[in-house]
Amino acid sequence: MSVSVRMPGVGGAGGGGGRSVCWVSLVLVLLLVPALLLVPAAGLRAASGGCSDRLHPRCCPGRDSECRGSSSSSSPCYCDTYCRYTGDCCPDYSHVCHISAIDCVVGAWEPWTACSSPCGVGSRERERLVTIPPRNGGAPCPDVKQRRGCYGHHPDQCHSVKEVAKILPDTYKRNFKDPWKRPHMMAKEQRPSYCAYFRMKEVSASCYRGVWTNHLFREKISCVECQGEAMGTRDRCEGDGRQGTRTFWISASHPRCHGSWVLQSLRKDCNCSPKSLIFV
């Protein structure tokens, strides 16, 4: 390194002046070199502040707003895992924390479930388990649950679901004994009644103008009795539905009054309370 400094009033033709200039140059070099070396070192110390200046633990998992590092800037820097998402990690975060991202790993898909509806439109589902959850900013997990549509068609169940129940008020019960009835009709009467409890889902507007149908409204629980005379060959009333499935009904005396309901429960050897309904 050569430094040439001109000193005013120093120098001349003699050799003594030249030696004075050399000594002055040497002194300046010795003073300037340490100063130049200290400047980047100080800058490095200022930039090295961050996670390394924290007490134990230096690095924090997850999101921790208290996990701050020292920073020379006005905005704080952090040493938690969440800083990788927000971009406010301290400069020495990667070096101090030695964190490597772990991607999510999932297993194989399980078989599809059965159709949720035994008759009509429903859905199927399948799932898969997470074997290794993501950590340290790794790739997130893909979908672990899938659903697709299906159409259930069980012959035995669909037959009852497609039936439309015909109903009347319980004032139409035939409790009197008719001596002219044939033996097969008497056998039907001997079969015990059962009760079907439905939750009304839809009621047409025409029902509100009827004498007895005006008591029907949405979400009402109605008891419908299946008497022996109304039973078919399967010892059941047509349209008694299937539990948990929406079926349809119609008034036998007011054809414009109709709607849908969902069977809640069935009770054998049962008679509905007064002001209830019966199957026809």
Side-chain angles (χ1 to χ4, degrees):
M1 182 175 182
S2 176
V3 179
S4 177
V5 180
R6 291 186 180 182
M7 301 295 292
V10 179
R19 285 194 297 271
S20 299
V21 172
C22 290
W23 280 106
V24 173
S25 300
L26 181 60
V27 172
L28 291 175
V29 169
L30 294 176
L31 293 175
L32 290 174
V33 169
L36 293 174
L37 294 176
L38 289 174
V39 170
L44 287 174
R45 284 195 299 269
S48 64
C51 302
S52 59
D53 294 341
R54 282 180 48 80
L55 299 176
H56 183 76
R58 291 184 174 181
C59 306
C60 309
R63 183 174 185 176
D64 189 353
S65 300
E66 300 298 327
C67 190
R68 298 180 183 178
S70 60
S71 175
S72 58
S73 61
S74 58
S75 59
C77 65
Y78 297 90
C79 302
D80 58 349
T81 308
Y82 197 76
C83 73
R84 299 168 65 92
Y85 298 96
T86 54
D88 52 2
C89 297
C90 293
D92 60 348
Y93 173 80
S94 299
H95 174 72
V96 173
C97 297
H98 299 287
I99 292 181
S100 57
I102 299 177
D103 297 336
C104 178
V105 179
V106 295
W109 286 105
E110 296 179 355
W112 288 99
T113 60
C115 191
S116 60
S117 175
C119 184
V121 178
S123 62
R124 297 176 182 266
E125 294 182 353
R126 68 173 182 176
E127 298 179 353
R128 55 181 175 180
L129 299 177
V130 177
T131 55
I132 301 177
R135 293 193 295 270
N136 306 329
C141 296
D143 293 337
V144 295
K145 179 180 289 188
Q146 289 183 343
R147 177 181 296 178
R148 68 181 182 184
C150 61
Y151 190 86
H153 184 71
H154 195 283
D156 295 336
Q157 300 176 6
C158 287
H159 178 74
S160 60
V161 169
K162 293 179 180 180
E163 294 176 346
V164 179
K166 294 182 180 180
I167 59 175
L168 283 174
D170 61 351
T171 53
Y172 285 83
K173 289 182 179 180
R174 297 181 178 178
N175 296 325
F176 64 92
K177 301 296 182 179
D178 188 354
W180 301 103
K181 285 187 177 179
R182 296 181 180 180
H184 71 277
M185 296 298 294
M186 298 294 293
K188 284 187 177 181
E189 284 187 355
Q190 294 174 1
R191 286 183 289 186
S193 301
Y194 67 87
C195 302
Y197 292 87
F198 293 91
R199 182 183 295 274
M200 293 287 179
K201 290 299 181 181
E202 293 181 6
V203 179
S204 63
S206 299
C207 297
Y208 300 109
R209 294 191 291 267
V211 176
W212 63 270
T213 55
N214 57 1
H215 298 289
L216 304 177
F217 52 87
R218 294 181 68 250
E219 299 302 324
K220 178 184 178 180
I221 301 295
S222 298
C223 178
V224 186
E225 183 177 335
C226 177
Q227 299 176 337
E229 291 183 349
M231 293 182 184
T233 56
R234 297 183 180 182
D235 292 338
R236 53 173 290 270
C237 288
E238 183 176 356
D240 60 357
R242 181 170 178 81
Q243 192 164 355
T245 304
R246 178 176 294 199
T247 54
F248 300 92
W249 58 268
I250 187 172
S251 169
S253 58
H254 298 80
R256 291 186 179 181
C257 176
H258 54 81
S260 63
W261 54 21
V262 175
L263 178 64
Q264 303 296 304
S265 62
L266 287 174
R267 293 183 184 178
K268 296 181 179 180
D269 299 332
C270 170
N271 298 103
C272 294
S273 60
K275 297 183 180 180
S276 58
L277 305 173
I278 60 172
F279 289 103
V280 178

